[in-house]
Amino acid sequence: MTTTKAPGGLRLVPPPIQLADAPAPDWSHVARLSDDTGLLEHARNAIVRREHGYCVDDVSRGLLLICREPRPTIQLAGLAERYLAFLTHAAGSDGGFRNRFSYGRNWEDEPSTGDWWGRALWGLGTAAGRSSVPWIRREALNAFLVGCRTRSAWPRAMAFAGLGAAEVLRTDPRCTDASELLADAATVIGLPSAGPDWIWPEPELTYSNPALPEVLIAAGDLLGDETLLRAGLKMLAWLCREQDHDGHLSVVPVGGWQPGVPKHRFDQQPIEAAATADACATAAAVTGDDRWDEQLFRAIAWFLGDNDGRKPMYDPLTGGCYDGLTANGPNVNQGAESTLALVSTLQHARTLATRSATRPSGGLA
């Protein structure tokens, strides 16, 4: 801790956040929110709210992240099987997915192709490509291929599905169903505009924005399309500049940003910081350019307190992540979406720490 001179006396200034400050991924709260059916969506503080039930969005995220673990525990492998069973139960015969399942074990909607369809395919594709359990890989691929039969009219649903297709292709480059889905996702997203100030292919920044350039980067890499790769990197670099605020990450909040309108800063959602981390990690992996690591580190540091509120966004006692950053500080409820966003970003922190330790320069601060 250092001090600076300020009106009225000395003021303590916390030391800058370093990569070593990032804790290891903690699955305690994910386990707390899980039961024999799936992953419950909401919590008040850290107490699960069963009345809100389950959703495919969060169960898909849970499956995805467990399958990213290089050495999952027996507990995590059991949760992955449970989450996969939930997703296969949610699947419709035409490729759509239901989303909402009550605590009373009743579906509350019909199969369709909203964002949850895309997230289901993202989770299934990741399980098919990365799970350490053979029968999970096989069953996830079967479900993924059924989901590939349809398409969504929604760009973000297609982006999520495209990221799942990319996971399948990294394991099996000959999977034509996955390559066609990834190509279609890139087409729906489109290329950046030629304008110097607003290059985004949409009239505003809304939610899950980093997933759009991430899909273009993945498509350019896996489908051998240099134009898509350059477009994705350009879009992501522009988005990172837009989300920079005094040298730290300030993600697009609820309500979004529009060109020519002053940016409001709250309420920021952890899932947006996690999406930024995902996209920057993909850019770094595809290009080998370690300049993307700096942007990835900013997403990690957002959870640790280098954000507009200057507050840590997680509870070290529970392993849960706070549901949002408001003008008055964190929303201290610890739901599934936010907690999984934290786990996802800490997975990247672990990988980045390993990579940084091998660099001659000694790595990031």
Side-chain angles (χ1 to χ4, degrees):
M1 191 79 72
T2 59
T3 60
T4 60
K5 192 71 173 178
L10 296 177
R11 179 170 60 88
L12 293 176
V13 178
I17 291 171
Q18 300 185 27
L19 185 58
D21 296 325
D26 185 348
W27 293 90
S28 300
H29 194 53
V30 176
R32 184 181 291 112
L33 295 174
S34 299
D35 62 11
D36 60 354
T37 295
L39 177 62
L40 288 146
E41 184 175 8
H42 289 299
R44 181 182 292 113
N45 289 293
I47 302 301
V48 66
R49 300 188 67 179
R50 294 188 174 100
E51 67 270 24
H52 292 286
Y54 317 80
C55 68
V56 160
D57 277 311
D58 289 337
V59 174
S60 301
R61 293 183 185 104
L63 177 63
L64 185 159
L65 296 183
I66 292 172
C67 293
R68 281 183 180 176
E69 283 292 295
R71 291 178 296 276
T73 63
I74 293 174
Q75 180 191 37
L76 289 182
L79 288 178
E81 291 187 13
R82 208 169 306 160
Y83 298 164
L84 177 56
F86 186 97
L87 294 182
T88 57
H89 188 212
S93 58
D94 62 351
F97 281 80
R98 300 176 179 87
N99 186 35
R100 307 210 64 85
F101 195 58
S102 74
Y103 191 68
R105 309 304 191 264
N106 294 304
W107 287 109
E108 298 177 338
D109 55 1
E110 294 299 321
S112 60
T113 56
D115 283 357
W116 53 91
W117 166 82
R119 288 199 180 276
L121 291 185
W122 191 1
L124 292 168
T126 304
R130 297 205 199 188
S131 176
S132 60
V133 181
W135 56 88
I136 287 181
R137 290 199 304 271
R138 291 194 297 269
E139 186 65 21
L141 180 60
N142 290 338
F144 174 86
L145 293 175
V146 173
C148 278
R149 295 174 182 171
T150 189
R151 296 291 186 266
S152 176
W154 306 102
R156 277 159 183 76
M158 286 295 292
F160 303 146
L163 292 172
E167 293 284 2
V168 173
L169 283 173
R170 290 185 183 108
T171 301
D172 180 8
R174 298 169 297 178
C175 183
T176 56
D177 287 333
S179 61
E180 289 172 1
L181 176 58
L182 181 56
D184 288 347
T187 299
V188 168
I189 292 164
L191 300 176
S193 67
D197 299 322
W198 189 267
I199 73 163
W200 202 249
E202 299 175 321
E204 61 182 324
L205 290 166
T206 55
Y207 68 97
S208 295
N209 302 292
L212 276 61
E214 185 180 1
V215 166
L216 296 184
I217 293 167
D221 176 43
L222 295 166
L223 303 180
D225 190 322
E226 188 68 25
T227 297
L228 287 179
L229 177 58
R230 289 198 301 268
L233 294 170
K234 179 180 179 180
M235 283 172 56
L236 182 58
W238 179 87
L239 180 62
C240 287
R241 291 193 296 272
E242 289 293 306
Q243 293 191 140
D244 177 86
H245 188 215
D246 296 334
H248 63 259
L249 178 65
S250 179
V251 296
V252 178
V254 174
W257 290 338
Q258 297 178 357
V261 178
K263 294 174 179 174
H264 63 288
R265 297 292 173 183
F266 304 101
D267 297 323
Q268 295 180 30
Q269 303 295 298
I271 194 172
E272 301 301 325
T276 301
D278 276 346
C280 292
T282 295
V286 167
T287 65
D289 187 344
D290 59 16
R291 287 177 293 183
W292 289 107
D293 288 347
E294 178 61 33
Q295 299 301 326
L296 172 56
F297 175 70
R298 289 188 180 193
I300 296 163
W302 185 92
F303 287 91
L304 306 183
D306 195 11
N307 51 49
D308 287 317
R310 300 296 176 183
K311 298 289 185 182
M313 288 299 296
Y314 72 99
D315 183 345
L317 297 178
T318 66
C321 181
Y322 301 131
D323 276 353
L325 181 60
T326 76
N328 298 317
N331 170 351
V332 296
N333 294 332
Q334 300 171 31
E337 175 185 287
S338 301
T339 297
L340 292 167
L342 170 67
V343 171
S344 173
T345 306
L346 293 180
Q347 287 178 327
H348 290 306
R350 179 180 58 199
T351 302
L352 180 58
T354 301
R355 188 163 67 243
S356 299
T358 65
R359 290 181 184 149
S361 63
L364 294 169

